[in-house]
Amino acid sequence: MSVKYPKIKSDNKQRFYVVFYNNGKRYRLFNGSKINSNLYPNSYPVAKRYEIAQLLAAEVFKFISSGLCIQDPIRVICKSDKQYLKLALDNKIKGEYSDKYKSMLRFAYDGLVSYLIDENITSNNVKSYLNQYALGVSYNTIKRHLNVLINEARNIGMNSNPMESIKAKKTKAKLHKPYKDINLILNEIKLFSDNLYLCCLMTYGCLLRPHREIRELKWSDFSDDLGYIHLSGHRNKSGKNRIVPVPIYIRELLVKGQPQHNIFTDTIRPLNEDYFKTLWGRFKRVSKLLEQDQTLYSFRHTGAIEIFKRTGSITKLQKAMGHSSINVSLTYLRGLEIAELKEEDMPMI
């Protein structure tokens, strides 16, 4: 039987997807994750999405023409919710996630299991476990990891959803105080550590997150002229591909090495997970300029303020920050205490 070439369609949100049949089943793919492709058309500007969707369609055609089949989640039959939860944990541990993330999933799993009265999981079990975490931040962190495990358990066959009626706790926004004079603080950091200086500069100028996105950067993530950084979805918090411009004041510091080498270590191994956290702690103890509530993430927040003040565009800010939705960006602006209304926006008499 001949294989039909996939069709490209779009929805009312200007998101493009590929439609095709595989093994007698109709599929709609918005990205290439199911065929082990890093193409995410809708992470690109709208004008470029169709072009990337065409590339995705070509990869899909090559995939199904070679006789391969899309692997849907394998549903299994277990005797209890507890068994489903253990399988869910095992699946996640096999995934390409950080050791810290896997450790948190194990912690959430062990904690919930200790509160089970029998082999099935109820909302009361989950509530009893979560209620030991009085602070909203801790409570919500554990709840988020439990959600991951429960969702995976449901994907592989568990019928119940014990998380359905459990809501997150409201938390007070923790402000990362922006820097008033960015050059002054950067000059102090430059005298302290070249690596920390480059990290802070990229956190501010590229709005990347320091502890993973920047720390794990390889030269292959950069374009040939060092003008852009491309991060695939599995390497950033939003889960979407990101293309980030690199300002000239950062490009001037970069000397491109071997494609698979880390930009800080010049080897295939990145810096350890706590490297910048430890280095920042040491700098904080000797700095004469740092104010209370100013952190490594304050560089990213300062950059966000600059973008919003210059463009006035919440959409551009969302793209620059790599937020999953505009709602996240709106919350972010409220946390930064930026006025969203000007005097001329107010009612006139």
Side-chain angles (χ1 to χ4, degrees):
M1 183 195 298
S2 61
V3 177
K4 290 185 178 180
Y5 199 85
K7 294 181 180 179
I8 300 173
K9 296 187 177 182
S10 64
D11 60 18
N12 56 8
K13 296 181 180 179
Q14 293 184 296
R15 297 182 304 171
F16 286 87
Y17 56 92
V18 177
V19 180
F20 63 99
Y21 283 85
N22 184 227
N23 204 22
K25 184 175 179 180
R26 184 177 182 270
Y27 287 91
R28 289 196 317 166
L29 294 192
F30 285 81
N31 59 67
S33 60
K34 284 186 177 291
I35 60 169
N36 296 319
S37 166
N38 286 326
L39 289 176
Y40 285 70
N42 301 301
S43 67
Y44 288 81
V46 173
K48 197 172 178 62
R49 290 179 185 178
Y50 181 74
E51 177 187 341
I52 306 302
Q54 287 179 307
L55 296 177
L56 179 59
E59 289 198 9
V60 167
F61 183 70
K62 181 179 178 181
F63 181 90
I64 57 179
S65 295
S66 64
L68 296 173
C69 293
I70 301 291
Q71 297 296 317
D72 292 321
I74 299 174
R75 296 183 68 83
V76 297
I77 299 176
C78 293
K79 293 181 179 180
S80 66
D81 293 347
K82 185 177 178 180
Q83 289 182 357
Y84 279 118
L85 196 68
K86 181 61 169 65
L87 281 177
L89 176 65
D90 292 342
N91 286 351
K92 289 298 179 181
I93 296 302
K94 294 174 186 175
E96 294 184 5
Y97 305 107
S98 69
D99 291 339
K100 185 175 182 180
Y101 182 70
K102 292 178 182 179
S103 176
M104 280 301 300
L105 290 177
R106 287 194 191 95
F107 181 83
Y109 169 83
D110 291 338
L112 178 59
V113 167
S114 69
Y115 275 79
L116 297 184
I117 298 174
D118 52 38
E119 292 292 301
N120 290 314
I121 305 171
T122 67
S123 294
N124 286 335
N125 298 146
V126 178
K127 288 175 183 176
S128 296
Y129 172 45
L130 289 176
N131 283 340
Q132 68 176 305
Y133 297 97
L135 296 176
V137 175
S138 299
Y139 177 101
N140 292 340
T141 299
I142 301 299
K143 177 183 177 295
R144 186 168 64 250
H145 287 85
L146 283 180
N147 262 328
V148 170
L149 293 176
I150 295 296
N151 286 338
E152 178 65 17
R154 285 169 57 78
N155 282 339
I156 60 179
M158 189 172 86
N159 292 319
S160 63
N161 184 7
M163 304 294 295
E164 190 172 15
S165 62
I166 299 175
K167 297 181 179 180
K169 284 188 175 182
K170 291 184 178 180
T171 59
K172 292 183 179 179
K174 181 181 178 182
L175 300 181
H176 296 264
K177 187 176 180 180
Y179 296 104
K180 296 177 183 177
D181 190 329
I182 192 70
N183 287 308
L184 198 60
I185 188 66
L186 283 171
N187 286 337
E188 187 183 37
I189 293 170
K190 187 176 183 180
L191 294 173
F192 177 78
S193 165
D194 288 340
N195 277 354
L196 185 60
Y197 174 67
L198 180 57
C199 175
C200 294
L201 205 59
M202 296 187 79
T203 305
Y204 169 75
C206 300
L207 291 101
L208 296 178
R209 299 172 179 90
H211 298 301
R212 185 181 181 193
E213 293 175 356
I214 293 177
R215 181 180 61 83
E216 294 183 352
L217 277 176
K218 299 178 291 186
W219 292 114
S220 60
D221 297 321
F222 290 79
S223 60
D224 291 339
D225 63 355
L226 299 175
Y228 287 88
I229 295 171
H230 182 279
L231 289 182
S232 58
H234 73 277
R235 290 180 57 198
N236 68 77
K237 190 176 181 181
S238 69
K240 298 180 179 180
N241 280 15
R242 288 182 68 189
I243 298 178
V244 183
V246 181
I248 183 64
Y249 54 81
I250 295 176
R251 295 203 303 273
E252 291 174 342
L253 300 175
L254 302 176
V255 180
K256 196 164 187 178
Q258 296 296 316
Q260 296 307 312
H261 280 192
N262 178 269
I263 71 169
F264 294 100
T265 66
D266 201 27
T267 70
I268 60 172
R269 293 178 63 85
L271 298 164
N272 72 71
E273 288 187 12
D274 293 327
Y275 179 84
F276 286 121
K277 179 181 178 181
T278 302
L279 202 54
W280 181 260
R282 291 172 182 170
F283 169 71
K284 187 176 180 180
R285 288 195 290 270
V286 300
S287 173
K288 293 179 172 58
L289 299 176
L290 277 181
E291 300 176 13
Q292 187 175 355
D293 296 326
Q294 287 182 331
T295 68
L296 188 52
Y297 267 85
S298 293
F299 288 100
R300 182 171 147 89
H301 289 212
T302 306
I305 291 174
E306 289 301 311
I307 286 179
F308 187 73
K309 284 181 176 178
R310 193 162 56 247
T311 67
S313 169
I314 191 67
T315 303
K316 287 184 178 179
L317 178 63
Q318 178 203 355
K319 295 295 184 184
M321 299 296 285
H323 286 153
S324 57
S325 71
I326 285 180
N327 286 337
V328 177
S329 301
L330 288 171
T331 303
Y332 201 87
L333 287 179
R334 285 198 293 273
L336 291 173
E337 298 182 342
I338 294 177
E340 295 180 46
L341 293 175
K342 299 177 182 178
E343 182 178 347
E344 54 266 33
D345 296 325
M346 304 308 289
M348 301 290 290
I349 295 179

